[in-house]
């Protein structure tokens, strides 16, 4: 549906890790995302930028996740 917010993260988790831990940053990003925004963790934002230099990556500050504060970015 048009106008929905999107939250993206890029992390490696082994099979032994808890599934809830894998989505903790996504949950934190989803809580602060506004309608129509695409928010990403630093890892995802810079990995995408390496592949697509035409993508605009804007720092948005930090958000608190289950594992502490982490920077997040808006993609355009």
């Amino acid at each position: 549906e048009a106008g929905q917010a999107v939250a993206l993260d890029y992390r490696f988790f082994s099979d032994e890790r808890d599934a809830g831990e894998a989505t903790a940053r996504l949950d934190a990003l989803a809580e602060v995302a506004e309608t129509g925004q695409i928010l990403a963790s630093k890892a995802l934002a810079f990995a995408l930028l390496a592949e697509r230099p035409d993508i605009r990556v804007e720092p948005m500050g930090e958000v608190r996740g289950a594992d502490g504060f982490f920077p997040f970015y808006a993609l355009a």
Side-chain angles (χ1 to χ4, degrees):
E1 180 176 312
Q4 289 185 332
V6 177
L8 304 167
D9 189 19
Y10 179 73
R11 297 173 62 166
F12 174 78
F13 286 93
S14 66
D15 292 337
E16 296 85 38
R17 305 262 339 240
D18 179 19
E21 189 177 342
T23 63
R25 286 189 176 205
L26 288 173
D27 294 341
L29 287 173
E31 285 187 33
V32 299
E34 295 180 12
T35 302
Q37 277 188 318
I38 302 172
L39 299 183
S41 66
K42 181 177 182 178
L44 188 283
F46 283 84
L48 184 60
L49 190 58
E51 292 292 323
R52 296 284 311 266
D54 58 321
I55 297 289
R56 195 171 75 220
V57 175
E58 299 178 16
M60 297 294 289
E62 291 186 330
V63 66
R64 184 184 178 121
D67 57 350
F69 287 94
F70 64 95
F72 71 104
Y73 298 80
L75 305 177

